[in-house]
Amino acid sequence: MESVKSEKQSKTKTTLHISGAEAIVRCLLEEGVDLIFGYPGGAIMPVYDELYKFQDSLNHVLTRHEQGATHAAQGYARVSGKVGVAIATSGPGATNLVTGLADAQIDSTPMVCITGQVPRHLLGSDAFQETDIIGISTPVTKWNYQITEASEIPEIMAKAFYIAKSGRPGPVLIDITKNAQFDSFDFSYEKCERIRSYKAVPKPDEKAIETAASLINSAKKPFIVFGQGVILGNAEEEFKAFIEKTGIPSAWTILGLSALPSDHPQNVGMVGMHGNYGPNVLTNECDVLIAIGMRFDDRVTGNLDTYAKQARIIHFDIDPAEINKNVKADVAVLGDAKETLSLILDKVEANTHETWHQEFAKKDKDEYEAVIRHDILPTKPGLTMGEVVMAINEASNKDAVIVTDVGQHQMVACRYAQFKKSKSSITSGGLGTMGFALPAAIGAKMGAMHREVVAIIGDGGYQMTIQELATIFQNKTPVKIVVLNNNFLGMVRQWQELFFEKRYASTEMVNPDFVKIAEGYFIKARRVTERHDLNDAVREMIKSKEPYFLEVEVEKENNVFPMIPSGASVSDVRLK
Amino acid sequence: MEEKRYTISIYSENNIGLLNRISGIFLKRHINIESLNVSKSEIENISKFTIVINTTEDWAHKIVRQIEKQIEVIKAYYHTDEETIFLQTALFKIASNLLFDERQIQNIIKESNAEIVTVSRDFFVLSKSGRRHEIDEMHEKLEPYGIMQFVRSARLAVTKAEMPISRLLHDFYQDK
Ligand SMILES: Cc1ncc(C[n+]2csc(CCOP(=O)(O)OP(=O)(O)O)c2C)c(N)n1
Ligand SMILES: [Mg+2]
């Protein structure tokens, strides 16, 4: 014990007398960071000066907006499982991070944001570019802290990384006053491994696991809904073993997508507002609902008063605050999914639930006839979003990372994109942030250079962060961008059609020439307007070794179905 | 579900910003804070928040979970009035001449077990500790004579049941 400790200390206790700014860079290196996204400005210049000196070991990607830096960091984190890092100056630089922080908070993405701040002696004086980013970011961060003295840097940075990635991950913001960047101190670094006021992972309770197992063993119609917890916990293998042994049909929330291969026979599709017909309807027919690493978002449950009332609920989660938050659990299994799922594996009995699976198959057939066939094999003129996604599946051999924005194209992409590997679907689920996809795709590509990364974006959301095309060009990042152009804020238009008697208030978009814009950024670009060009264009895009932009003009007024109208019950999911 | 008064007790690290983070949890859920007190606790360097809200038990439970989720919070609890010993303190500043001119005031002070904190030529200050309704009663009685200043503190409460923070911390250091 003693010797281990002293060995550890001797390894990390090399002391350097350096500036706070250099210390920040060294902290990042100590945490294994080799890539950060950001945008410079006055209050963070000392750190940028160090980034210049350390550019061989730490790559900084200049995005074209700080929001882009946060989404890129998120994309990087989601694809790699590592902590994404974004850096910005004080004032407007810092406030531009807020959307990304909120997105990372609600989607549990590990991210550390660093902001410059006016010098300590000017705090509270309304100095140039002073903003209370600690106050502003408090509700959208897992933790935040303002450093006002250089000597605080190592300990706080170590805590920041530990908090961002441990337990239920989330964003951390560290605000550093300029004096703390300039001042020198004796630097040494020790990683943070625990904090006395913070329990990252609750210890699994044997009894809860026993109870859950016996409930599962006696169930006639058990049903699993899994979320991102499986991915964040690196529990894909344990999850697969668990479902294969128990034979239970398993559906995913939008953030659970890709944790289980699309073609797995027990993968019955997506739950939620635009999820699949069977999983939604049968939620209200199962006798035991097993929720794994998901949080019963209202887009998943519809009306809570009529959600799975007939079922006993087992809830696996790492976050005690999620238990009984929206849906009352009969059994709560707290802990890391990797651990709890492997603990329960021995206690569950083998089963196949064949007749129960047939009910899913029947509903799937209904959905295929009513919706899917028309989406993916349309016979009418006018391209559908569904057929574009299918073409991408084929050309990429179902092996691409698919990054989606927010709207109809997102729902269609998540419904039809097919996956073989985990961490392959990246979307803004909880916050629904338009503008997420383009920068997130940049981060995803940089986090998985060996993989094909395809961003699928609407014409609306594309224009919220379109300036990141410059980041793609400057860094020669070979992401593939598909804009599904319906010349509408399609998802809002769909609601206007269905619930506001077609009063299309401010949803029609008069768009620029997207191909010319891409070409203006020196990105190869092509537009498809006819079905017979689609496959060829998608193949050309996937084959390209360079960034590539593809605009597909799709039907203007198509709707996404199935749909649970907001406030309705999951069993009232509409097929048209 | 029935709304009730709940006293939330929070043990936390003593950090700038935590008050903001905790009050934000109520703000986000549109829940009014009836009273809030921050002080040191029985454990060195550990702060204690005592917050009173009116809500259902379900919400009290959810809020406590959200509070505990904050990194610098060690542990949080909620209790009903029956489960706690609690009081508030109020200060009344009153013109000194009334003490001599109005006989009744002396009786009010005696009957209500109030304490005279200070007396100067112009004013005297009464302090009254107790339940909220006792303070309200005294306020009602004194009001006709004129109160120069009045202030009432947040609720202070200790629980009948144990809140084993020292043990939690002990376990943390033992685990190492
Ligand atoms: C930043 C932001 N603003 C507004 C919205 C509301 N919203 C949700 S979907 C949508 C329309 C998206 O249009 P588009 O990007 O063209 O995608 P489509 O639905 O047409 O596929 C809007 C406006 C949002 N989600 N995010
Ligand atoms: Mg659109």
Side-chain angles (χ1 to χ4, degrees):
Chain A
M1 179 89 189
E2 260 310 292
S3 64
V4 174
K5 204 168 156 198
S6 55
E7 187 192 295
K8 199 172 107 204
Q9 279 179 349
S10 63
K11 215 165 49 190
T12 48
K13 282 271 157 70
T14 38
T15 310
L16 292 162
H17 194 76
I18 54 173
S19 72
E22 182 178 342
I24 289 161
V25 174
R26 287 189 181 273
C27 290
L28 294 173
L29 293 172
E30 290 274 359
E31 291 293 337
V33 177
D34 54 14
L35 174 66
I36 67 176
F37 303 89
Y39 211 100
I44 195 73
M45 281 186 68
V47 175
Y48 270 82
D49 195 41
E50 295 302 326
L51 287 171
Y52 182 83
K53 299 176 197 159
F54 280 86
Q55 56 188 290
D56 290 340
S57 39
L58 182 55
N59 183 18
H60 173 275
V61 172
L62 174 68
T63 56
R64 292 304 185 268
H65 188 293
E66 290 87 351
Q67 183 187 348
T70 58
H71 296 329
Q74 289 180 275
Y76 175 86
R78 297 260 295 258
V79 85
S80 68
K82 293 192 248 174
V83 179
V85 179
I87 180 165
T89 190
S90 66
T95 57
N96 277 345
L97 302 176
V98 172
T99 303
L101 288 167
D103 197 287
Q105 170 88 337
I106 201 163
D107 279 351
S108 311
T109 308
M111 175 162 78
V112 171
C113 289
I114 297 165
T115 50
Q117 182 57 280
V118 302
R120 162 90 230 214
H121 73 276
L122 290 181
L123 283 176
S125 71
D126 300 323
F128 179 64
Q129 295 193 329
E130 179 186 4
T131 190
D132 172 19
I133 195 60
I134 293 296
I136 291 171
S137 66
T138 293
V140 291
T141 48
K142 185 173 173 185
W143 188 62
N144 59 8
Y145 190 90
Q146 184 174 61
I147 293 177
T148 55
E149 273 175 46
S151 61
E152 294 178 276
I153 289 170
E155 192 192 330
I156 295 301
M157 290 294 285
K159 265 176 96 171
F161 276 85
Y162 172 65
I163 290 167
K165 70 187 174 205
S166 62
R168 179 176 179 176
V172 170
L173 180 134
I174 304 299
D175 193 36
I176 309 175
T177 57
K178 206 168 177 180
N179 60 294
Q181 298 171 42
F182 277 129
D183 288 348
S184 293
F185 71 111
D186 289 333
F187 172 85
S188 70
Y189 198 79
E190 207 165 333
K191 279 202 181 182
C192 175
E193 276 154 16
R194 37 193 232 140
I195 295 170
R196 69 173 184 174
S197 59
Y198 166 58
K199 190 161 194 117
V201 183
K203 257 207 199 82
D205 171 9
E206 285 280 340
K207 267 225 316 267
I209 289 172
E210 290 286 350
T211 323
S214 69
L215 208 51
I216 291 167
N217 291 338
S218 58
K220 297 276 170 290
K221 294 175 164 193
F223 177 45
I224 291 170
V225 179
F226 63 95
Q228 196 189 196
V230 173
I231 299 171
L232 292 171
N234 292 312
E236 293 90 347
E237 285 313 311
E238 291 75 7
F239 175 71
K240 209 159 103 196
F242 170 67
I243 70 163
E244 285 177 352
K245 183 169 181 193
T246 56
I248 302 173
S250 303
W252 34 276
T253 69
I254 196 167
L255 288 181
L257 178 52
S258 84
L260 182 68
S262 306
D263 61 3
H264 192 283
Q266 284 169 257
N267 187 335
V268 295
M270 174 162 73
V271 289
M273 185 171 268
H274 293 289
N276 292 105
Y277 187 54
N280 276 319
V281 171
L282 297 174
T283 294
N284 279 358
E285 288 179 27
C286 66
D287 59 356
V288 176
L289 179 72
I290 305 137
I292 303 177
M294 58 83 85
R295 59 186 178 85
F296 293 109
D297 181 86
D298 61 287
R299 284 294 194 263
V300 161
T301 63
N303 186 350
L304 279 175
D305 296 334
T306 56
Y307 181 78
K309 286 293 173 197
Q310 79 296 342
R312 308 289 295 279
I313 312 274
I314 303 172
H315 194 173
F316 286 73
D317 211 285
I318 199 167
D319 179 1
E322 288 303 337
I323 306 298
N324 299 336
K325 189 184 81 177
N326 297 334
V327 170
K328 196 137 186 53
D330 295 287
V331 186
V333 183
L334 283 169
D336 189 18
K338 196 177 182 74
E339 194 180 353
T340 52
L341 288 172
S342 57
L343 284 172
I344 205 168
L345 188 64
D346 284 342
K347 301 188 165 63
V348 290
E349 290 158 10
N351 207 327
T352 52
H353 294 291
E354 255 164 67
T355 41
W356 174 226
H357 269 284
Q358 278 162 24
E359 291 190 44
F360 284 89
K362 251 185 268 163
K363 292 275 187 291
D364 187 45
K365 218 163 153 203
D366 294 344
E367 183 181 341
Y368 187 84
E369 287 308 319
V371 180
I372 298 173
R373 196 156 58 88
H374 309 284
D375 279 354
I376 64 175
L377 297 167
T379 46
K380 285 192 271 183
L383 284 154
T384 66
M385 293 181 173
E387 65 185 314
V388 181
V389 177
M390 294 305 280
I392 295 169
N393 284 337
E394 201 194 289
S396 64
N397 196 22
K398 303 175 186 174
D399 208 17
V401 174
I402 304 286
V403 186
T404 53
D405 211 72
V406 175
Q408 291 185 313
H409 65 280
Q410 173 191 34
M411 293 299 126
V412 173
C414 291
R415 284 172 53 76
Y416 297 117
Q418 290 178 308
F419 299 97
K420 293 177 177 168
K421 287 195 199 92
S422 184
K423 295 194 172 82
S424 296
S425 168
I426 297 172
T427 194
S428 167
L431 202 66
T433 306
M434 285 172 68
F436 174 83
L438 188 63
I442 297 171
K445 183 70 196 180
M446 292 180 174
M449 282 309 274
H450 56 289
R451 297 198 62 188
E452 191 66 62
V453 174
V454 182
I456 301 178
I457 317 180
D459 49 313
Y462 184 53
Q463 293 179 80
M464 283 201 171
T465 48
I466 195 168
Q467 70 281 354
E468 301 307 338
L469 290 175
T471 312
I472 292 171
F473 172 61
Q474 181 167 354
N475 294 280
K476 314 218 174 322
T477 314
V479 292
K480 312 298 165 64
I481 307 151
V482 180
V483 165
L484 298 179
N485 186 2
N486 53 9
N487 286 291
F488 264 110
L489 297 173
M491 186 56 92
V492 180
R493 187 209 56 74
Q494 173 169 347
W495 284 50
Q496 288 170 333
E497 178 185 332
L498 298 177
F499 312 117
F500 293 87
E501 294 164 322
K502 285 201 175 189
R503 288 185 296 275
Y504 291 168
S506 300
T507 44
E508 190 161 8
M509 304 273 279
V510 178
N511 283 322
D513 184 332
F514 288 127
V515 166
K516 275 203 184 131
I517 288 179
E519 284 169 352
Y521 285 100
F522 307 99
I523 292 170
K524 224 197 280 173
R526 180 167 170 184
R527 176 185 295 119
V528 168
T529 56
E530 303 295 332
R531 182 160 294 138
H532 57 78
D533 290 333
L534 177 65
N535 280 318
D536 177 61
V538 170
R539 270 186 229 121
E540 178 180 304
M541 169 183 81
I542 297 292
K543 274 210 202 97
S544 169
K545 296 270 174 274
E546 292 163 43
Y548 191 106
F549 173 81
L550 178 66
E551 175 188 357
V552 183
E553 207 168 276
V554 293
E555 271 294 282
K556 290 179 82 155
E557 298 190 34
N558 277 355
N559 288 334
V560 184
F561 284 108
M563 177 176 194
I564 305 168
S566 61
S569 165
V570 282
S571 43
D572 293 334
V573 55
R574 291 168 54 171
L575 283 175
K576 56 176 190 259
Chain B
M1 240 190 288
E2 184 202 1
E3 288 207 354
K4 244 191 187 170
R5 205 162 35 218
Y6 288 97
T7 301
I8 295 177
S9 310
I10 306 166
Y11 288 84
S12 74
E13 303 293 352
N14 178 16
N15 274 350
I16 298 181
L18 187 56
L19 173 61
N20 195 14
R21 209 167 249 288
I22 287 173
S23 71
I25 289 170
F26 296 89
L27 175 65
K28 182 174 174 186
R29 290 161 185 81
H30 203 92
I31 289 175
N32 187 41
I33 293 177
E34 311 253 315
S35 98
L36 183 153
N37 187 81
V38 192
S39 73
K40 69 185 225 168
S41 70
E42 64 274 19
I43 303 157
E44 206 184 326
N45 295 325
I46 287 181
S47 303
K48 184 169 181 179
F49 290 71
T50 307
I51 300 176
V52 181
I53 54 171
N54 242 323
T55 190
T56 61
E57 173 153 25
D58 189 41
W59 269 111
H61 184 85
K62 284 179 192 172
I63 283 169
V64 162
R65 288 285 97 82
Q66 293 295 332
I67 291 170
E68 271 190 348
K69 190 167 153 169
Q70 305 311 314
I71 302 296
E72 284 137 347
V73 169
I74 294 165
K75 188 90 187 138
Y77 303 86
Y78 68 92
H79 291 95
T80 60
D81 287 359
E82 295 72 45
E83 295 167 325
T84 52
I85 319 291
F86 60 92
L87 57 74
Q88 292 174 287
T89 295
L91 297 178
F92 299 78
K93 177 177 163 184
I94 297 168
S96 290
N97 61 313
L98 294 176
L99 200 52
F100 306 102
D101 299 350
E102 302 280 353
R103 268 284 141 83
Q104 201 44 32
I105 288 201
Q106 296 194 16
N107 292 335
I108 295 171
I109 298 171
K110 265 188 228 136
E111 280 163 24
S112 59
N113 279 323
E115 233 178 77
I116 299 178
V117 183
T118 185
V119 184
S120 68
R121 194 191 322 196
D122 299 330
F123 64 85
F124 68 101
V125 175
L126 292 175
S127 142
K128 161 76 190 153
S129 289
R131 294 291 174 94
R132 166 82 178 265
H133 68 92
E134 297 171 303
I135 293 168
D136 286 350
E137 267 163 36
M138 184 167 156
H139 186 276
E140 234 165 74
K141 286 187 196 151
L142 289 171
E143 198 166 29
Y145 305 102
I147 299 170
M148 295 166 78
Q149 278 183 35
F150 172 77
V151 67
R152 190 183 60 222
S153 77
R155 173 187 286 206
L156 303 178
V158 289
T159 59
K160 294 177 184 169
E162 188 191 6
M163 293 196 278
I165 306 303
S166 308
R167 199 158 67 227
L168 276 176
L169 293 177
H170 178 78
D171 290 351
F172 176 87
Y173 291 110
Q174 285 303 300
D175 276 0
K176 195 145 195 174

